[in-house]
Amino acid sequence: MDRRAQIQRARRFRALHDRSRVLLLPNAWDAGSARVFASLGFDAIATTSGGVAWSLGYPDGEQVPLDEVIAAIRRMVRVTSLPVSVDFEGGYGASPEAVAANVRMVIDAGVAGINLEDGIRHERLRDIDDAARRIAAARKAAREAGVPIVINARVDTWIVGGDAGETELIGETLRRARAYLEAGADCIYPIALARPEVIARLCAAIEAPINIGVRVGLPDLAELGYLGVARVSTATRLATVALSAAHEAAERLQSSGRFDGLDAALGYESMQRLFVDPEDTVGGTR
């Protein structure tokens, strides 16, 4: 991608975090899903590490070879003019220096933002100083590349907090959020957080945009905005909805031998138009 165009996308993405309204991000897993989401009028697109991994034939958790991840990112960036933010898990590196080198590759793929998480394989939290150094390394790589990417620091206390009580989880999340912001993060993502009272408390206490991952039962977008949330992403939800729909249709086909369950609102001609004419929107069936 032309570096000037990428810088413009990164600046546009950064401006979407001004907290004047909630930024809603659908998480794509391949070029097809990215193109579909782009056609619907979203302001930007994120990726899901889980969805990307599954589409490439691997489990989630940095199990995909990095070159395959980069190639998938390039394909998604290629099919849309929207800013693309990449779920880069823990940075695919054992040290801050390795993370910096990998972030440079992701930036070269054309992204406008990245997620970096402080959990390790959903089993334990990374040492806070180590996590902060990795964010600082990513920020330094972005500065050297001249691309003002948005770094969304994912805080995994609600995933791997063990037996800690809510007060302890809040305290640890605040401590980590402040360290990550000081290291160069722009946005904080307390993944798996769902209680509205705690969401509001963190939004009030953290001087930065807060990202919330969607789940069934969560307050709607308007209510999340009222609580102070700046950014909402779908994580793996859209990927699992799509794969579940395919699984159910194939299962009905296998059990019934009938083909009437294979009609789709988004058909062949619609998908073709999305790639033949990138400015077209979804419409038509086959």
Side-chain angles (χ1 to χ4, degrees):
M1 173 191 287
D2 176 76
R3 185 51 58 91
R4 287 174 298 180
Q6 182 183 9
I7 291 171
Q8 290 176 349
R9 292 188 195 186
R11 288 174 175 165
R12 185 171 15 138
F13 191 50
R14 180 170 292 278
L16 291 168
H17 291 74
D18 66 359
R19 291 184 269 184
S20 61
R21 63 186 178 90
V22 181
L23 171 61
L24 177 61
L25 293 173
N27 290 71
W29 56 93
D30 60 10
S33 57
R35 187 67 201 98
V36 168
F37 299 154
S39 75
L40 293 172
F42 285 97
D43 293 313
I45 293 171
T47 75
T48 158
S49 66
V52 170
W54 303 330
S55 74
L56 296 173
Y58 298 88
D60 193 16
E62 296 191 19
Q63 300 300 302
V64 187
L66 182 57
D67 60 342
E68 292 193 43
V69 174
I70 299 296
I73 292 168
R74 288 188 183 278
R75 288 191 290 271
M76 287 186 271
V77 169
R78 180 178 58 81
V79 299
T80 177
S81 61
L82 296 178
V84 175
S85 182
V86 169
D87 180 354
F88 204 45
E89 303 188 73
Y92 284 76
S95 67
E97 293 76 20
V99 170
N102 296 339
V103 168
R104 282 192 287 270
M105 286 193 285
V106 174
I107 291 173
D108 287 343
V111 306
I114 60 170
N115 279 17
L116 283 177
E117 62 196 50
D118 65 1
I120 300 176
R121 293 184 297 276
H122 289 194
E123 297 171 359
R124 60 187 176 87
L125 287 170
R126 192 179 299 278
D127 175 80
I128 188 170
D129 292 331
D130 180 33
R133 284 193 294 269
R134 296 160 80 86
I135 290 170
R139 176 53 66 204
K140 184 173 185 289
R143 280 198 302 266
E144 290 173 348
V147 182
I149 62 170
V150 173
I151 298 178
N152 187 32
R154 201 182 92 176
V155 184
D156 284 12
T157 45
W158 264 269
I159 294 181
V160 289
D163 297 327
E166 188 171 78
T167 299
E168 292 175 276
L169 292 176
I170 291 171
E172 182 63 14
T173 298
L174 290 174
R175 190 167 73 95
R176 288 175 175 269
R178 289 163 184 155
Y180 302 161
L181 292 170
E182 186 175 347
D186 303 288
C187 189
I188 299 298
Y189 180 11
I191 190 171
L193 176 59
R195 278 227 309 137
E197 297 84 353
V198 180
I199 292 173
R201 182 171 172 181
L202 289 181
C203 288
I206 297 171
E207 289 297 321
I210 301 300
N211 185 121
I212 294 295
V214 304
R215 60 177 55 209
V216 175
L218 199 69
D220 64 20
L221 203 62
E223 178 63 17
L224 288 174
Y226 177 77
L227 295 174
V229 174
R231 168 170 154 168
V232 171
S233 52
T234 61
T236 60
R237 306 294 174 173
L238 291 173
T240 54
V241 166
L243 292 170
S244 294
H247 177 274
E248 291 169 8
E251 192 173 50
R252 286 194 300 270
L253 170 64
Q254 183 183 48
S255 63
S256 70
R258 296 176 58 85
F259 312 128
D260 48 0
L262 299 179
D263 194 22
L266 183 59
Y268 180 86
E269 285 90 352
S270 298
M271 288 302 304
Q272 278 290 92
R273 273 200 303 276
L274 288 180
F275 290 94
V276 172
D277 180 4
E279 300 304 316
D280 197 14
T281 57
V282 173
T285 60
R286 179 171 182 170

